[in-house]
Amino acid sequence: MLLTSIRMRVPVRQWRFVGWFLAFAFLAGGSGAAYEYARLGGSAAAATDQVTNEVRQAFSEITSTLEQAATGVAREHDLVVRAATDPAAARTLFDLLNQWAKDDRAVTVYGADGTPLAWSGRPSDLPRPSVSGPEALLIAPGPSGPRLVRVQPVTGEHPERPGEVARRVGSIVAETPLPVTRPN
């Protein structure tokens, strides 16, 4: 009799376990589907729009921080001019760059001839035409992946005609790695 009652209880326990397992599986699946619907929308087009907007917003934020760094340093054009010949000005320029190079961002100041005067962070090695060219936003290869690079020319007043901006005294290059996803 004892053996018969044990046999009858085992199937009930197994079914109870299976029932709880299925309930939790449906709960997990339902909550995952609800999260996906809330996060990405109800269709593939809505998901594409959502992801596109997030990428554009992230790119805009990265571009904005690079532009702020480049223009912030470019405002100190007198310091850039003096740093080429004055070691004290170069030290001051290094200190200034340390304020702008945060997180993974790097900032480099180049002289009028394209030689680096001061840097902060981990800058990449850019070709001279990119550094001495016009204002630009470009993507450059880096040791840890692609980098977004902002080039900002620094101009000074013409020595013989005050008020006329005529000559290039240097360039500011602000850069940061682009976020990438790596396959598992």
Side-chain angles (χ1 to χ4, degrees), residues 6-40:
I6 292 174
R7 284 186 191 165
M8 292 181 150
R9 288 186 199 168
V10 172
V12 171
R13 286 185 184 168
Q14 287 176 346
W15 282 112
R16 194 177 295 161
F17 174 75
V18 170
W20 280 107
F21 176 78
L22 290 175
F24 283 123
F26 283 121
L27 180 65
S31 62
Y35 175 77
E36 182 178 335
Y37 181 80
R39 177 86 170 96
L40 297 175

mmCIF file of all heavy atoms in Angstrom, residues 6-40:
data_model
loop_
_atom_site.group_PDB
_atom_site.id
_atom_site.type_symbol
_atom_site.label_atom_id
_atom_site.label_comp_id
_atom_site.label_asym_id
_atom_site.label_seq_id
_atom_site.Cartn_x
_atom_site.Cartn_y
_atom_site.Cartn_z
ATOM 1 N N ILE A 6 3.152 6.023 -3.070
ATOM 2 C CA ILE A 6 4.341 6.743 -3.556
ATOM 3 C C ILE A 6 4.301 6.863 -5.064
ATOM 4 O O ILE A 6 4.598 7.916 -5.625
ATOM 5 C CB ILE A 6 5.633 6.028 -3.090
ATOM 6 C CG1 ILE A 6 5.785 6.159 -1.576
ATOM 7 C CG2 ILE A 6 6.855 6.595 -3.798
ATOM 8 C CD1 ILE A 6 6.937 5.383 -1.011
ATOM 9 N N ARG A 7 3.875 5.792 -5.754
ATOM 10 C CA ARG A 7 3.798 5.843 -7.214
ATOM 11 C C ARG A 7 2.783 6.878 -7.671
ATOM 12 O O ARG A 7 2.957 7.517 -8.681
ATOM 13 C CB ARG A 7 3.416 4.470 -7.767
ATOM 14 C CG ARG A 7 4.557 3.503 -7.741
ATOM 15 C CD ARG A 7 4.173 2.226 -8.413
ATOM 16 N NE ARG A 7 5.188 1.217 -8.164
ATOM 17 C CZ ARG A 7 5.033 -0.046 -8.368
ATOM 18 N NH1 ARG A 7 3.887 -0.499 -8.838
ATOM 19 N NH2 ARG A 7 5.998 -0.890 -8.130
ATOM 20 N N MET A 8 1.724 7.051 -6.966
ATOM 21 C CA MET A 8 0.690 8.008 -7.376
ATOM 22 C C MET A 8 1.133 9.446 -7.138
ATOM 23 O O MET A 8 0.746 10.333 -7.863
ATOM 24 C CB MET A 8 -0.600 7.735 -6.631
ATOM 25 C CG MET A 8 -1.248 6.449 -7.016
ATOM 26 S SD MET A 8 -2.733 6.303 -6.096
ATOM 27 C CE MET A 8 -3.700 5.370 -7.226
ATOM 28 N N ARG A 9 1.932 9.688 -6.132
ATOM 29 C CA ARG A 9 2.363 11.047 -5.844
ATOM 30 C C ARG A 9 3.436 11.533 -6.825
ATOM 31 O O ARG A 9 3.515 12.703 -7.111
ATOM 32 C CB ARG A 9 2.934 11.121 -4.430
ATOM 33 C CG ARG A 9 1.888 11.023 -3.383
ATOM 34 C CD ARG A 9 2.510 11.259 -2.052
ATOM 35 N NE ARG A 9 1.637 10.748 -1.023
ATOM 36 C CZ ARG A 9 1.955 10.591 0.225
ATOM 37 N NH1 ARG A 9 3.178 10.894 0.609
ATOM 38 N NH2 ARG A 9 1.098 10.133 1.088
ATOM 39 N N VAL A 10 4.276 10.681 -7.297
ATOM 40 C CA VAL A 10 5.368 11.083 -8.175
ATOM 41 C C VAL A 10 4.844 11.740 -9.452
ATOM 42 O O VAL A 10 5.295 12.812 -9.816
ATOM 43 C CB VAL A 10 6.301 9.895 -8.473
ATOM 44 C CG1 VAL A 10 7.315 10.251 -9.541
ATOM 45 C CG2 VAL A 10 6.979 9.441 -7.207
ATOM 46 N N PRO A 11 3.894 11.168 -10.148
ATOM 47 C CA PRO A 11 3.416 11.848 -11.353
ATOM 48 C C PRO A 11 2.810 13.217 -11.057
ATOM 49 O O PRO A 11 2.971 14.145 -11.841
ATOM 50 C CB PRO A 11 2.378 10.908 -11.933
ATOM 51 C CG PRO A 11 2.750 9.568 -11.425
ATOM 52 C CD PRO A 11 3.341 9.817 -10.073
ATOM 53 N N VAL A 12 2.165 13.400 -9.937
ATOM 54 C CA VAL A 12 1.583 14.689 -9.602
ATOM 55 C C VAL A 12 2.698 15.714 -9.403
ATOM 56 O O VAL A 12 2.622 16.838 -9.882
ATOM 57 C CB VAL A 12 0.696 14.576 -8.344
ATOM 58 C CG1 VAL A 12 0.259 15.944 -7.867
ATOM 59 C CG2 VAL A 12 -0.504 13.703 -8.634
ATOM 60 N N ARG A 13 3.766 15.339 -8.730
ATOM 61 C CA ARG A 13 4.901 16.238 -8.541
ATOM 62 C C ARG A 13 5.551 16.581 -9.882
ATOM 63 O O ARG A 13 5.947 17.723 -10.108
ATOM 64 C CB ARG A 13 5.936 15.603 -7.625
ATOM 65 C CG ARG A 13 5.518 15.589 -6.195
ATOM 66 C CD ARG A 13 6.625 15.053 -5.339
ATOM 67 N NE ARG A 13 6.183 14.949 -3.960
ATOM 68 C CZ ARG A 13 6.829 14.309 -3.035
ATOM 69 N NH1 ARG A 13 7.971 13.702 -3.331
ATOM 70 N NH2 ARG A 13 6.375 14.254 -1.808
ATOM 71 N N GLN A 14 5.672 15.600 -10.734
ATOM 72 C CA GLN A 14 6.265 15.871 -12.041
ATOM 73 C C GLN A 14 5.399 16.843 -12.827
ATOM 74 O O GLN A 14 5.904 17.772 -13.454
ATOM 75 C CB GLN A 14 6.451 14.572 -12.822
ATOM 76 C CG GLN A 14 7.580 13.714 -12.294
ATOM 77 C CD GLN A 14 7.684 12.391 -13.035
ATOM 78 O OE1 GLN A 14 6.776 11.996 -13.755
ATOM 79 N NE2 GLN A 14 8.797 11.695 -12.819
ATOM 80 N N TRP A 15 4.113 16.658 -12.812
ATOM 81 C CA TRP A 15 3.227 17.562 -13.544
ATOM 82 C C TRP A 15 3.235 18.967 -12.929
ATOM 83 O O TRP A 15 3.158 19.958 -13.644
ATOM 84 C CB TRP A 15 1.796 17.008 -13.599
ATOM 85 C CG TRP A 15 1.662 15.938 -14.621
ATOM 86 C CD1 TRP A 15 1.433 14.618 -14.399
ATOM 87 C CD2 TRP A 15 1.775 16.093 -16.022
ATOM 88 N NE1 TRP A 15 1.400 13.930 -15.577
ATOM 89 C CE2 TRP A 15 1.612 14.830 -16.609
ATOM 90 C CE3 TRP A 15 2.016 17.174 -16.868
ATOM 91 C CZ2 TRP A 15 1.669 14.619 -17.976
ATOM 92 C CZ3 TRP A 15 2.053 16.954 -18.224
ATOM 93 C CH2 TRP A 15 1.890 15.690 -18.758
ATOM 94 N N ARG A 16 3.321 19.007 -11.640
ATOM 95 C CA ARG A 16 3.379 20.307 -10.971
ATOM 96 C C ARG A 16 4.667 21.043 -11.399
ATOM 97 O O ARG A 16 4.640 22.232 -11.695
ATOM 98 C CB ARG A 16 3.369 20.106 -9.455
ATOM 99 C CG ARG A 16 3.099 21.399 -8.721
ATOM 100 C CD ARG A 16 3.008 21.193 -7.240
ATOM 101 N NE ARG A 16 1.864 20.358 -6.917
ATOM 102 C CZ ARG A 16 1.697 19.701 -5.780
ATOM 103 N NH1 ARG A 16 2.611 19.779 -4.845
ATOM 104 N NH2 ARG A 16 0.640 18.969 -5.568
ATOM 105 N N PHE A 17 5.790 20.329 -11.436
ATOM 106 C CA PHE A 17 7.060 20.908 -11.878
ATOM 107 C C PHE A 17 6.963 21.380 -13.332
ATOM 108 O O PHE A 17 7.372 22.495 -13.665
ATOM 109 C CB PHE A 17 8.192 19.875 -11.734
ATOM 110 C CG PHE A 17 9.497 20.353 -12.290
ATOM 111 C CD1 PHE A 17 10.265 21.285 -11.611
ATOM 112 C CD2 PHE A 17 9.959 19.890 -13.516
ATOM 113 C CE1 PHE A 17 11.464 21.733 -12.127
ATOM 114 C CE2 PHE A 17 11.155 20.340 -14.045
ATOM 115 C CZ PHE A 17 11.918 21.260 -13.347
ATOM 116 N N VAL A 18 6.400 20.551 -14.185
ATOM 117 C CA VAL A 18 6.231 20.908 -15.594
ATOM 118 C C VAL A 18 5.325 22.126 -15.725
ATOM 119 O O VAL A 18 5.587 23.048 -16.514
ATOM 120 C CB VAL A 18 5.699 19.709 -16.414
ATOM 121 C CG1 VAL A 18 5.282 20.134 -17.811
ATOM 122 C CG2 VAL A 18 6.744 18.616 -16.490
ATOM 123 N N GLY A 19 4.259 22.163 -14.920
ATOM 124 C CA GLY A 19 3.341 23.311 -14.962
ATOM 125 C C GLY A 19 4.034 24.610 -14.565
ATOM 126 O O GLY A 19 3.870 25.639 -15.224
ATOM 127 N N TRP A 20 4.803 24.573 -13.474
ATOM 128 C CA TRP A 20 5.533 25.769 -13.047
ATOM 129 C C TRP A 20 6.580 26.181 -14.079
ATOM 130 O O TRP A 20 6.762 27.367 -14.359
ATOM 131 C CB TRP A 20 6.217 25.537 -11.699
ATOM 132 C CG TRP A 20 5.278 25.677 -10.539
ATOM 133 C CD1 TRP A 20 4.783 24.689 -9.764
ATOM 134 C CD2 TRP A 20 4.701 26.892 -10.063
ATOM 135 N NE1 TRP A 20 3.949 25.183 -8.825
ATOM 136 C CE2 TRP A 20 3.875 26.563 -8.976
ATOM 137 C CE3 TRP A 20 4.794 28.213 -10.434
ATOM 138 C CZ2 TRP A 20 3.153 27.506 -8.275
ATOM 139 C CZ3 TRP A 20 4.073 29.168 -9.738
ATOM 140 C CH2 TRP A 20 3.265 28.806 -8.671
ATOM 141 N N PHE A 21 7.272 25.202 -14.645
ATOM 142 C CA PHE A 21 8.278 25.492 -15.669
ATOM 143 C C PHE A 21 7.638 26.189 -16.869
ATOM 144 O O PHE A 21 8.143 27.201 -17.358
ATOM 145 C CB PHE A 21 8.973 24.208 -16.105
ATOM 146 C CG PHE A 21 9.954 24.411 -17.233
ATOM 147 C CD1 PHE A 21 11.205 24.948 -16.983
ATOM 148 C CD2 PHE A 21 9.613 24.105 -18.544
ATOM 149 C CE1 PHE A 21 12.106 25.158 -18.010
ATOM 150 C CE2 PHE A 21 10.502 24.317 -19.579
ATOM 151 C CZ PHE A 21 11.754 24.846 -19.310
ATOM 152 N N LEU A 22 6.504 25.662 -17.335
ATOM 153 C CA LEU A 22 5.818 26.283 -18.481
ATOM 154 C C LEU A 22 5.303 27.673 -18.139
ATOM 155 O O LEU A 22 5.376 28.597 -18.967
ATOM 156 C CB LEU A 22 4.686 25.383 -18.963
ATOM 157 C CG LEU A 22 5.124 24.081 -19.647
ATOM 158 C CD1 LEU A 22 3.895 23.223 -19.971
ATOM 159 C CD2 LEU A 22 5.909 24.380 -20.902
ATOM 160 N N ALA A 23 4.813 27.860 -16.936
ATOM 161 C CA ALA A 23 4.316 29.180 -16.528
ATOM 162 C C ALA A 23 5.446 30.202 -16.538
ATOM 163 O O ALA A 23 5.293 31.323 -17.051
ATOM 164 C CB ALA A 23 3.678 29.091 -15.144
ATOM 165 N N PHE A 24 6.606 29.836 -15.978
ATOM 166 C CA PHE A 24 7.747 30.755 -15.973
ATOM 167 C C PHE A 24 8.270 30.995 -17.392
ATOM 168 O O PHE A 24 8.683 32.110 -17.733
ATOM 169 C CB PHE A 24 8.864 30.241 -15.074
ATOM 170 C CG PHE A 24 8.596 30.456 -13.612
ATOM 171 C CD1 PHE A 24 8.596 29.398 -12.734
ATOM 172 C CD2 PHE A 24 8.333 31.730 -13.122
ATOM 173 C CE1 PHE A 24 8.343 29.597 -11.383
ATOM 174 C CE2 PHE A 24 8.083 31.941 -11.776
ATOM 175 C CZ PHE A 24 8.089 30.874 -10.905
ATOM 176 N N ALA A 25 8.258 29.977 -18.238
ATOM 177 C CA ALA A 25 8.713 30.139 -19.618
ATOM 178 C C ALA A 25 7.801 31.105 -20.369
ATOM 179 O O ALA A 25 8.281 31.999 -21.091
ATOM 180 C CB ALA A 25 8.771 28.791 -20.325
ATOM 181 N N PHE A 26 6.497 30.966 -20.217
ATOM 182 C CA PHE A 26 5.563 31.888 -20.869
ATOM 183 C C PHE A 26 5.696 33.299 -20.297
ATOM 184 O O PHE A 26 5.618 34.282 -21.032
ATOM 185 C CB PHE A 26 4.120 31.388 -20.741
ATOM 186 C CG PHE A 26 3.797 30.274 -21.688
ATOM 187 C CD1 PHE A 26 3.371 29.045 -21.211
ATOM 188 C CD2 PHE A 26 3.916 30.436 -23.064
ATOM 189 C CE1 PHE A 26 3.073 28.011 -22.083
ATOM 190 C CE2 PHE A 26 3.629 29.413 -23.943
ATOM 191 C CZ PHE A 26 3.202 28.191 -23.454
ATOM 192 N N LEU A 27 5.917 33.408 -19.012
ATOM 193 C CA LEU A 27 6.103 34.716 -18.389
ATOM 194 C C LEU A 27 7.363 35.400 -18.933
ATOM 195 O O LEU A 27 7.344 36.586 -19.276
ATOM 196 C CB LEU A 27 6.195 34.569 -16.863
ATOM 197 C CG LEU A 27 6.387 35.855 -16.077
ATOM 198 C CD1 LEU A 27 5.161 36.753 -16.227
ATOM 199 C CD2 LEU A 27 6.638 35.545 -14.624
ATOM 200 N N ALA A 28 8.460 34.656 -19.032
ATOM 201 C CA ALA A 28 9.701 35.220 -19.562
ATOM 202 C C ALA A 28 9.538 35.611 -21.030
ATOM 203 O O ALA A 28 9.965 36.691 -21.452
ATOM 204 C CB ALA A 28 10.849 34.224 -19.402
ATOM 205 N N GLY A 29 8.925 34.750 -21.812
ATOM 206 C CA GLY A 29 8.714 35.052 -23.226
ATOM 207 C C GLY A 29 7.798 36.248 -23.415
ATOM 208 O O GLY A 29 8.049 37.115 -24.250
ATOM 209 N N GLY A 30 6.733 36.300 -22.638
ATOM 210 C CA GLY A 30 5.793 37.422 -22.737
ATOM 211 C C GLY A 30 6.418 38.738 -22.325
ATOM 212 O O GLY A 30 6.217 39.762 -22.981
ATOM 213 N N SER A 31 7.198 38.725 -21.244
ATOM 214 C CA SER A 31 7.828 39.970 -20.821
ATOM 215 C C SER A 31 8.906 40.397 -21.823
ATOM 216 O O SER A 31 9.085 41.588 -22.072
ATOM 217 C CB SER A 31 8.405 39.836 -19.412
ATOM 218 O OG SER A 31 9.409 38.855 -19.382
ATOM 219 N N GLY A 32 9.624 39.441 -22.419
ATOM 220 C CA GLY A 32 10.609 39.777 -23.448
ATOM 221 C C GLY A 32 9.945 40.388 -24.675
ATOM 222 O O GLY A 32 10.428 41.371 -25.235
ATOM 223 N N ALA A 33 8.822 39.808 -25.090
ATOM 224 C CA ALA A 33 8.093 40.351 -26.241
ATOM 225 C C ALA A 33 7.542 41.738 -25.935
ATOM 226 O O ALA A 33 7.591 42.635 -26.788
ATOM 227 C CB ALA A 33 6.970 39.399 -26.643
ATOM 228 N N ALA A 34 7.042 41.940 -24.715
ATOM 229 C CA ALA A 34 6.526 43.255 -24.328
ATOM 230 C C ALA A 34 7.651 44.289 -24.307
ATOM 231 O O ALA A 34 7.463 45.430 -24.764
ATOM 232 C CB ALA A 34 5.844 43.173 -22.966
ATOM 233 N N TYR A 35 8.812 43.910 -23.778
ATOM 234 C CA TYR A 35 9.950 44.826 -23.752
ATOM 235 C C TYR A 35 10.381 45.178 -25.174
ATOM 236 O O TYR A 35 10.649 46.345 -25.488
ATOM 237 C CB TYR A 35 11.117 44.205 -22.983
ATOM 238 C CG TYR A 35 12.360 45.048 -23.023
ATOM 239 C CD1 TYR A 35 12.483 46.180 -22.239
ATOM 240 C CD2 TYR A 35 13.416 44.716 -23.879
ATOM 241 C CE1 TYR A 35 13.617 46.965 -22.290
ATOM 242 C CE2 TYR A 35 14.555 45.496 -23.934
ATOM 243 C CZ TYR A 35 14.652 46.622 -23.133
ATOM 244 O OH TYR A 35 15.776 47.388 -23.197
ATOM 245 N N GLU A 36 10.484 44.185 -26.038
ATOM 246 C CA GLU A 36 10.881 44.426 -27.420
ATOM 247 C C GLU A 36 9.888 45.346 -28.124
ATOM 248 O O GLU A 36 10.271 46.257 -28.846
ATOM 249 C CB GLU A 36 10.994 43.102 -28.175
ATOM 250 C CG GLU A 36 11.449 43.266 -29.607
ATOM 251 C CD GLU A 36 11.592 41.943 -30.329
ATOM 252 O OE1 GLU A 36 11.802 40.919 -29.669
ATOM 253 O OE2 GLU A 36 11.496 41.960 -31.570
ATOM 254 N N TYR A 37 8.594 45.128 -27.881
ATOM 255 C CA TYR A 37 7.566 45.964 -28.493
ATOM 256 C C TYR A 37 7.685 47.402 -27.990
ATOM 257 O O TYR A 37 7.610 48.354 -28.766
ATOM 258 C CB TYR A 37 6.179 45.408 -28.196
ATOM 259 C CG TYR A 37 5.072 46.207 -28.823
ATOM 260 C CD1 TYR A 37 4.745 46.041 -30.168
ATOM 261 C CD2 TYR A 37 4.367 47.149 -28.081
ATOM 262 C CE1 TYR A 37 3.747 46.792 -30.743
ATOM 263 C CE2 TYR A 37 3.359 47.900 -28.654
ATOM 264 C CZ TYR A 37 3.050 47.722 -29.985
ATOM 265 O OH TYR A 37 2.062 48.466 -30.563
ATOM 266 N N ALA A 38 7.888 47.548 -26.673
ATOM 267 C CA ALA A 38 8.003 48.892 -26.103
ATOM 268 C C ALA A 38 9.291 49.574 -26.563
ATOM 269 O O ALA A 38 9.318 50.786 -26.795
ATOM 270 C CB ALA A 38 7.961 48.821 -24.582
ATOM 271 N N ARG A 39 10.369 48.845 -26.696
ATOM 272 C CA ARG A 39 11.673 49.416 -27.046
ATOM 273 C C ARG A 39 11.809 49.680 -28.539
ATOM 274 O O ARG A 39 12.337 50.701 -28.949
ATOM 275 C CB ARG A 39 12.771 48.446 -26.592
ATOM 276 C CG ARG A 39 14.157 48.833 -26.928
ATOM 277 C CD ARG A 39 14.738 49.757 -25.866
ATOM 278 N NE ARG A 39 16.153 49.931 -26.074
ATOM 279 C CZ ARG A 39 16.671 50.969 -26.727
ATOM 280 N NH1 ARG A 39 15.892 51.891 -27.199
ATOM 281 N NH2 ARG A 39 17.960 51.067 -26.885
ATOM 282 N N LEU A 40 11.370 48.749 -29.380
ATOM 283 C CA LEU A 40 11.597 48.856 -30.816
ATOM 284 C C LEU A 40 10.346 49.085 -31.656
ATOM 285 O O LEU A 40 10.449 49.304 -32.852
ATOM 286 C CB LEU A 40 12.315 47.590 -31.317
ATOM 287 C CG LEU A 40 13.698 47.341 -30.735
ATOM 288 C CD1 LEU A 40 14.239 46.007 -31.223
ATOM 289 C CD2 LEU A 40 14.641 48.461 -31.089
#
